[in-house]
Amino acid sequence: MLPNKEQNLVVIKGIIMSGRDSTPGSLTPTGGTGGVDCSQLRFNTYISSPKPTVLPQLNPGTILHVDVYKLGATETVAVFLNGTLAGGIVDQSARLFQCITSGFMFKATVVSKNGAQIAIRIEPA
């Protein structure tokens, strides 16, 4: 069975893109059933490779800024504390990347801390 064509159309800043749920083009910033509504994107994850200099400041309730981080030619999604890189985000990074580059803003709240294992909740800012 072929998917409904409307489910594979995405409007990002006025540009129509197509794709399936597993491809970057499937993101639906304005809503719909074919992808993710950026305004509804919320999930729990862990900070990847937390920076030792920031680690002591990351406690439950701490709010971090989620943004795109450029390292050489590579762009990735990361979390920042007061403008300082705190670590990366691996889970749902492709969706977050597309939402952020489409103009959506996200925050991460530290949920728990066990040594260098920092659990966070990501949601729209």
Side-chain angles (χ1 to χ4, degrees):
M1 176 183 238
L2 292 174
N4 181 336
K5 287 184 180 181
E6 288 181 54
Q7 291 179 332
N8 289 329
L9 292 180
V10 179
V11 177
I12 298 178
K13 291 189 177 180
I15 299 171
I16 296 178
M17 302 173 68
S18 65
R20 296 181 183 265
D21 286 343
S22 62
T23 61
S26 68
L27 190 67
T28 309
T30 56
T33 59
V36 172
D37 180 343
C38 293
S39 67
Q40 299 300 315
L41 183 59
R42 290 170 172 78
F43 61 96
N44 291 339
T45 189
Y46 292 92
I47 296 176
S48 175
S49 303
K51 301 301 175 193
T53 56
V54 178
L55 196 56
Q57 301 170 65
L58 302 179
N59 297 303
T62 302
I63 306 293
L64 305 167
H65 177 69
V66 181
D67 208 345
V68 172
Y69 177 70
K70 188 169 184 173
L71 181 62
T74 304
E75 290 183 319
T76 187
V77 178
V79 289
F80 299 84
L81 177 64
N82 301 322
T84 302
L85 177 66
I89 301 294
V90 176
D91 292 342
Q92 303 213 31
S93 62
R95 290 178 174 167
L96 271 173
F97 182 88
Q98 284 194 323
C99 287
I100 292 167
T101 57
S102 296
F104 286 84
M105 295 175 60
F106 290 87
K107 67 178 181 177
T109 305
V110 176
V111 176
S112 67
K113 178 178 181 178
N114 185 7
Q117 190 174 35
I118 310 295
I120 56 174
R121 171 81 175 161
I122 294 181
E123 59 192 345

